[in-house]
C-alpha cells in the first residue's frame, strides 16, 4: 500500500462506482419489478471493475539485452525499456472467455430444481479463486504493492492469511454442501467422535498461525494455514444434515463475501471491500432468517447432528401405525377442492423432488376456472435454500402475487376450505406449538390444521419429516391423506377435475 | 489508502448491506444468493493483477486459473439470476392464459 505508485483518483473513483452499482443491484431485489434492472446494474459494475483493473494493470515486458544470472537474478545489459506484453493480454482475455463459455453454458442448461447445488458449486469457485489470489499475492507480493524488498507488510499478512483461510473454508465447505445437495453424498449427518474439540482445535491453530505469520512470513506457515483451512471447511459441513442446508448455503454465501472483503483489504480496493461487506451481510442475514424460521440458534445448526438421532423417529414410527387416519383418492381431492371457495397450497421439498410444480400450477388453473381462489403459502425453510419454493413456482408460471409468506397468510387458514400440503411436513406440525419436548418446539409453522379440510400429499405414512417427529395433522378428523408420488397424485387430480 | 480509511469503507458498507438486504423480498432470496455470488467474484480484480504481473511465473498461472474460476462465476451467476428473474411474473388481469 505504502510504496505503491500514488493511486490515480479516477481509478479509485471507478472502483467506487462499481461498488455503488453492486449496492443498487441488491437494492433492485426489493421487488420483482425492479429486480432485472438491478441485475443489469450488477453486470455494469462488474464490467467497470474488470476494465479498470485491466487498464491500470496492463501487462508489461522488459525488452533489451537481458541476461539471466545463475541464481535466477536478471542482469540486464544495454538499454532496457518496457512495452505492452501482447501475449499476456491474450492469455488473460482467453481465461475470461473460457470462464464465460463455461459459466453461460451452465447457467443456460441448469434445471431450476438444481439451483441449490448450483449456488453451492458457485460458492466453491469464489472460495477457490480467493485462495489462488492469496497464494499469488504471497508468491509475488510486489505486484500487489504489499511488500518492500520482498518483506510483506504485517497488516497485509493478516489480511492475506485470513483471506486465504476464509476462501479455503468456503471452498471445501461448499464442495461438501454441493455433494450433499446433489446426492453424491448422503444428506445424513456424519458425526466424528470428538468433532467439537477437533474443530475448535483446528480453528484455534489457524488463528494462531495467522497471528504468528505477522512475525515470520515463512512459507510453511502460509501453506499450513491454507491446508488446515481446507480441512476445517470439510469438517464443519459433514455433520450438518440435508434439511439444514438452507442455513449452510447462506453461511457459505456469507463466507465467500468475507473472503472477497479480506482480499479487498489486501489490495486496498474499495469495490472489493464494498462487495465483500454486502455479500457477507447478505449471507449472514439469510442464515439468521433461516435459523429463526426453525427456532434454532445458529450455533446449534453449525454444531450439526440434527436429525441424526434415529431412535426418536423410530419409536414414533412404531406407535403411529395404530392410530386411525383417513386415506383419500385423487377424485375425492378434486371434488373437495372444486367445491371450495379458497384453497391454499403449501409446497415443500417433496414438491421439488417430484418436480410437481408445473402440474401443480395446471391444477390451480383448473380450480381458478371453476371460481376457486388459489393461494400459495411458503414457509421460509421450505426446500433446500432460501426462496427455493418461490423460484420453482415462478418457473411454473405461478404469478408471484399469489404466493405468500408465512406471516402474511397464516391467519387465513382458519377461513380456508382446503389446505393442500404437498411435500411439506415439519413446517405444518402443530407439535411445534404444543409439545415442549418436540425437537421442533417453538418453530413457527403454517397453521394448516385450522383449515376446514387438510389434504396431505405424501409418499407414504411410514416416513417422518426431517426432524423425525410424527405429525399430529395426519390423524385429525378433517385430514385426508393422499398417499402417492406428489407429481402422480396431482396429475390424477387434474384428470379428475376435467 | 491507509488501513483506517479502508476499514471505514468496510464498516459503512456492512451497514449499507444490512439495510439493503433486509429490504429484499423473501420471494427473491434465491436470486439474491445467485447475484451476491456473482458479485463476490469481483475477486477477479485480484486475479487479474496477479496474472498481469511480470516476474513470478507460478503466481501468474495461479492468477490466470483464478481468472477462469471467477469468470465462470460472473457470467454463470449473472446469467442464471437473469433467467430466474425473468420467470417472476405478475398475475395477468385479463385472464388470457386460462381456458
Amino acid at each position: 500500500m505504502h510504496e505503491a505508485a500514488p493511486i490515480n483518483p479516477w481509478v479509485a473513483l471507478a472502483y467506487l462506482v462499481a461498488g455503488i452499482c453492486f449496492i443498487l443491484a441488491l437494492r433492485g431485489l426489493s421487488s420483482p419489478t425492479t429486480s432485472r434492472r438491478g441485475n443489469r446494474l450488477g453486470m455494469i459494475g462488474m464490467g467497470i471493475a474488470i476494465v479498470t483493473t485491466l487498464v491500470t494493470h496492463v501487462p508489461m515486458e522488459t525488452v533489451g539485452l537481458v541476461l539471466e544470472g545463475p541464481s535466477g537474478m536478471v542482469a540486464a545489459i544495454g538499454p532496457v525499456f518496457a512495452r505492452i506484453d501482447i501475449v499476456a493480454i491474450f492469455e488473460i482475455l482467453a481465461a475470461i472467455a473460457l470462464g464465460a463459455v463455461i459459466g453461460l453454458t451452465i447457467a443456460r442448461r441448469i434445471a431450476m430444481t438444481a439451483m441449490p447445488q448450483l449456488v453451492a458449486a458457485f460458492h466453491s469457485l469464489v472460495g477457490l479463486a480467493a485462495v489462488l489470489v492469496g497464494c499469488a499475492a504471497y508468491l509475488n507480493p510486489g505486484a500487489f504493492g504489499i511488500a518492500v524488498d520482498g518483506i510483506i507488510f504485517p497488516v497485509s499478512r493478516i489480511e492475506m492469511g485470513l483471506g486465504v483461510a476464509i476462501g479455503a473454508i468456503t471452498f471445501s465447505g461448499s464442495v461438501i454442501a454441493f455433494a450433499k445437495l446433489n446426492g453424491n453424498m448422503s444428506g445424513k449427518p456424519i458425526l466424528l467422535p470428538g468433532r467439537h474439540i477437533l474443530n475448535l482445535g483446528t480453528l484455534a491453530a489457524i488463528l494462531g498461525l495467522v497471528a504468528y505469520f505477522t512475525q515470520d512470513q515463512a512459507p510453511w506457515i502460509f501453506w499450513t494455514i491454507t491446508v488446515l483451512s481446507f480441512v476445517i471447511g470439510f469438517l464443519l459441513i459433514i455433520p450438518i444434515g440435508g434439511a439444514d442446508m438452507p442455513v449452510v448455503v447462506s453461511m457459505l454465501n456469507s463466507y465467500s463475501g468475507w473472503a472477497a472483503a479480506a482480499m479487498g483489504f489486501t489490495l486496498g480496493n474499495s469495490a472489493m471491500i464494498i462487495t465483500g461487506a454486502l455479500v457477507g451481510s447478505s449471507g449472514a442475514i439469510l442464515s439468521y432468517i433461516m435459523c429463526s424460521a426453525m427456532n434454532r440458534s445458529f450455533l446449534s445448526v453449525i454444531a450439526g447432528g440434527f436429525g441424526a438421532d434415529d431412535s426418536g423417529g423410530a419409536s414414533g414410527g412404531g406407535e403411529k401405525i395404530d392410530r386411525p387416519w383417513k386415506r383419500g383418492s385423487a377424485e375425492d381431492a378434486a371434488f373437495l377442492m372444486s367445491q371450495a371457495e379458497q384453497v391454499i397450497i403449501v409446497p415443500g421439498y417433496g414438491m421439488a423432488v417430484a418436480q410437481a410444480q408445473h402440474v401443480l400450477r395446471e391444477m390451480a388453473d383448473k380450480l381458478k376456472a371453476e371460481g376457486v381462489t388459489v393461494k400459495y403459502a411458503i414457509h421460509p425453510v421450505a426446500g433446500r435454500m432460501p426462496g427455493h419454493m418461490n423460484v420453482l413456482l415462478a418457473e411454473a408460471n405461478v404469478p408471484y402475487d399469489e404466493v405468500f409468506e408465512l406471516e402474511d397468510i397464516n391467519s387465513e387458514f382458519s377461513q380456508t376450505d382446503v389446505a393442500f400440503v404437498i411435500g411439506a411436513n415439519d413446517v405444518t406440525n402443530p407439535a411445534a406449538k404444543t409439545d415442549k419436548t418436540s425437537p421442533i418446539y417453538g418453530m413457527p409453522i403454517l397453521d394448516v390444521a385450522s383449515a376446514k379440510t387438510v389434504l396431505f400429499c405424501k409418499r407414504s405414512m411410514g416416513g417422518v419429516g426431517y426432524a423425525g417427529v410424527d405429525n399430529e395433522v395426519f390423524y385429525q378428523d378433517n385430514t385426508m391423506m393422499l398417499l402417492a408420488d406428489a407429481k402422480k397424485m396431482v396429475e390424477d387430480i387434474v384428470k379428475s377435475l376435467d | 489508502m491507509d488501513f483506517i480509511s479502508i476499514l471505514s469503507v468496510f464498516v459503512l458498507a456492512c451497514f449499507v448491506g444490512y439495510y439493503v438486504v433486509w429490504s429484499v423480498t423473501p420471494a427473491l432470496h434465491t436470486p439474491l444468493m445467485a447475484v451476491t455470488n456473482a458479485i463476490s467474484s469481483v475477486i477477479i480484480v485480484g486475479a487479474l493483477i496477479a496474472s498481469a504481473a511480470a516476474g513470478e511465473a507460478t503466481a501468474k498461472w495461479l492468477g490466470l486459473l483464478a481468472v477462469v474460476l471467477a469468470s465462470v462465476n460472473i457470467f454463470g451467476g449473472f446469467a442464471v439470476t437473469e433467467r430466474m428473474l425473468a420467470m417472476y411474473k405478475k398475475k395477468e388481469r385479463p385472464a388470457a392464459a386460462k381456458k
Side-chain angles (χ1 to χ4, degrees):
Chain A
M1 273 171 276
H2 311 285
E3 55 99 53
I7 300 165
N8 182 340
W10 291 107
V11 172
L13 207 59
Y15 284 128
L16 182 63
V17 171
I20 291 170
C21 285
F22 294 146
I23 295 175
L24 294 175
L26 298 199
R27 176 70 204 159
L29 291 174
S30 58
S31 143
T33 47
T34 54
S35 58
R36 297 182 76 182
R37 193 176 62 215
N39 196 36
R40 306 263 156 77
L41 275 169
M43 296 181 199
I44 293 172
M46 190 58 77
I48 294 174
I50 292 176
V51 170
T52 310
T53 314
L54 284 177
V55 170
T56 48
H57 289 84
V58 182
M60 299 300 241
E61 59 180 346
T62 43
V63 189
L65 253 172
V66 178
L67 286 179
E68 228 169 271
S71 59
M73 297 264 292
V74 176
I77 301 171
V80 176
F81 58 95
R83 71 168 182 204
I84 293 173
D85 187 344
I86 305 292
V87 179
I89 292 183
F90 177 77
E91 283 168 352
I92 291 173
L93 294 180
I96 295 179
L98 176 64
V101 170
I102 300 173
L104 290 175
T105 312
I106 296 173
R108 199 158 302 147
R109 297 228 176 121
I110 193 84
M112 281 300 147
T113 38
M115 204 49 73
Q117 295 91 299
L118 180 75
V119 169
F122 277 169
H123 286 155
S124 74
L125 295 184
V126 179
L128 191 55
V131 173
L132 294 175
V133 173
C135 294
Y138 177 70
L139 293 172
N140 192 4
F144 289 81
I146 53 171
V148 181
D149 299 330
I151 308 293
I152 306 170
F153 305 130
V155 66
S156 301
R157 290 186 210 170
I158 296 186
E159 295 157 0
M160 194 193 284
L162 286 179
V164 168
I166 302 171
I169 293 173
T170 312
F171 172 74
S172 51
S174 301
V175 168
I176 301 299
F178 171 84
K180 287 196 171 192
L181 289 166
N182 203 34
N184 306 95
M185 199 175 149
S186 152
K188 279 238 179 301
I190 299 169
L191 302 175
L192 299 179
R195 63 204 155 87
H196 295 309
I197 295 167
L198 186 66
N199 291 351
L200 288 175
T202 316
L203 276 179
I206 292 171
L207 289 176
L209 282 170
V210 171
Y212 187 53
F213 191 47
T214 58
Q215 302 306 312
D216 181 0
Q217 64 175 56
W220 73 267
I221 303 177
F222 182 80
W223 300 116
T224 311
I225 293 174
T226 315
V227 170
L228 281 181
S229 306
F230 278 124
V231 173
I232 189 75
F234 173 79
L235 291 176
L236 278 175
I237 309 302
I238 53 166
I240 304 180
D244 277 340
M245 279 301 144
V247 180
V248 170
V249 175
S250 316
M251 182 185 81
L252 292 168
N253 181 256
S254 180
Y255 288 176
S256 69
W258 304 129
M263 285 300 150
F265 270 93
T266 310
L267 300 177
N269 182 303
S270 56
M272 284 169 91
I273 294 172
I274 294 175
T275 315
L278 286 179
V279 178
S281 9
S282 163
I285 290 173
L286 289 178
S287 317
Y288 169 80
I289 295 175
M290 295 300 119
C291 286
S292 53
M294 298 191 291
N295 190 39
R296 298 185 36 215
S297 75
F298 184 69
L299 274 180
S300 83
V301 174
I302 294 312
F306 193 71
D309 181 21
D310 283 323
S311 57
S315 64
E319 73 191 51
K320 80 169 173 241
I321 303 296
D322 311 328
R323 302 181 57 183
W325 48 277
K326 270 186 283 186
R327 179 170 187 159
S329 66
E331 290 78 33
D332 301 334
F335 176 77
L336 276 168
M337 286 195 281
S338 60
Q339 299 303 309
E341 225 165 89
Q342 172 159 292
V343 172
I344 298 182
I345 299 173
V346 180
Y349 183 57
M351 179 194 80
V353 175
Q355 303 257 23
Q357 67 271 31
H358 297 279
V359 59
L360 191 65
R361 200 255 330 180
E362 227 179 285
M363 181 186 95
D365 283 350
K366 287 242 159 70
L367 290 173
K368 281 192 271 181
E370 306 215 6
V372 182
T373 311
V374 180
K375 290 178 178 172
Y376 298 81
I378 313 273
H379 193 278
V381 288
R384 286 292 186 262
M385 72 184 290
H388 192 183
M389 292 298 121
N390 302 77
V391 171
L392 293 182
L393 292 177
E395 187 202 10
N397 275 323
V398 172
Y400 61 79
D401 36 9
E402 287 177 8
V403 183
F404 295 88
E405 303 303 321
L406 180 130
E407 59 267 32
D408 298 327
I409 199 157
N410 233 357
S411 58
E412 279 191 41
F413 278 105
S414 51
Q415 295 112 47
T416 296
D417 304 293
V418 178
F420 185 80
V421 184
I422 173 166
N425 187 356
D426 290 338
V427 297
T428 65
N429 194 341
K433 282 202 270 188
T434 51
D435 181 4
K436 281 208 167 103
T437 59
S438 171
I440 56 171
Y441 180 73
M443 171 170 133
I445 57 155
L446 285 162
D447 218 355
V448 294
S450 62
K452 239 173 254 155
T453 309
V454 184
L455 296 174
F456 216 108
C457 187
K458 199 171 174 302
R459 238 187 314 221
S460 69
M461 282 306 277
V464 284
Y466 173 63
V469 281
D470 207 5
N471 193 338
E472 210 49 43
V473 176
F474 299 163
Y475 314 105
Q476 280 187 173
D477 283 342
N478 60 343
T479 302
M480 194 183 268
M481 300 301 295
L482 306 171
L483 299 184
D485 172 71
K487 190 172 178 188
K488 176 89 186 34
M489 177 52 74
V490 181
E491 273 167 359
D492 289 347
I493 295 176
V494 170
K495 271 185 220 141
S496 316
L497 279 170
D498 281 329
Chain B
M1 277 198 282
D2 62 299
F3 183 73
I4 292 302
S5 356
I6 299 179
L7 189 66
S8 319
V9 173
F10 176 70
V11 172
L12 291 176
C14 283
F15 277 92
V16 172
Y18 180 85
Y19 288 105
V20 169
V21 172
W22 273 114
S23 76
V24 172
T25 165
L28 293 177
H29 276 164
T30 297
L32 171 69
M33 303 201 85
V35 83
T36 48
N37 181 66
I39 65 174
S40 61
S41 308
V42 73
I43 198 134
I44 195 173
V45 167
L48 289 171
I49 295 176
S51 39
E56 187 67 45
T58 322
K60 185 182 141 178
W61 288 108
L62 289 177
L64 279 174
L65 183 57
V67 171
V68 176
L69 298 180
S71 308
V72 170
N73 240 314
I74 292 171
F75 287 89
F78 281 122
V80 88
T81 310
E82 190 73 14
R83 208 180 123 197
M84 276 192 270
L85 292 177
M87 300 185 314
Y88 283 81
K89 289 188 197 82
K90 241 185 146 69
K91 199 173 342 194
E92 314 130 56
R93 292 293 165 198
K98 297 168 223 160
K99 276 153 229 153

